[in-house]
Amino acid sequence: MLTLTQHFIDNQWVQSQSPHTQALHSPATGAPHAELTRGSVADVDHAVHAASAALPAWRALSGTERGQYLFAIATALESCADMLIADSVRFSGKLIS
């Protein structure tokens, strides 16, 4: 079972400030798949602060430069499509049609 205790904030994995977790279960079988850390107010504040600090640099990029970043993200997602589909099926309980 996957256990995730960190959040991705400011381009790095950081330990959550929250001790609380949330289990993810298969809707089809009820079996647990993952245990995820629930974010705290401090975690959200950290993420919002990091996003606010990054915004001026993002705004300074041209549309073409931003598009290149978005295209790179799309390419990375496409390379993981099979894994993302399998996880979606597992976590939603629905079949691939």
Side-chain angles (χ1 to χ4, degrees):
M1 180 168 69
L2 171 71
T3 300
L4 185 59
T5 61
Q6 297 179 321
H7 303 291
F8 196 72
I9 301 173
D10 202 13
N11 205 33
Q12 61 186 339
W13 287 102
V14 295
Q15 194 65 35
S16 177
Q17 299 298 310
S18 173
H20 304 290
T21 61
Q22 170 102 29
L24 294 181
H25 295 87
S26 166
T29 66
H33 285 295
E35 188 79 18
L36 306 177
T37 298
R38 297 174 65 184
S40 68
V41 171
D43 294 321
V44 173
D45 287 346
H46 183 192
V48 169
H49 182 283
S52 296
L55 185 57
W58 180 254
R59 278 187 177 156
L61 295 175
S62 70
T64 300
E65 290 170 314
R66 282 186 246 156
Q68 290 170 340
Y69 278 104
L70 296 175
F71 185 77
I73 292 168
T75 301
L77 288 172
E78 286 175 350
S79 73
C80 299
D82 290 340
M83 179 193 67
L84 294 170
I85 291 167
D87 285 346
S88 179
V89 167
R90 188 173 6 158
F91 294 133
S92 71
K94 297 181 181 177
L95 301 175
I96 298 174
S97 59

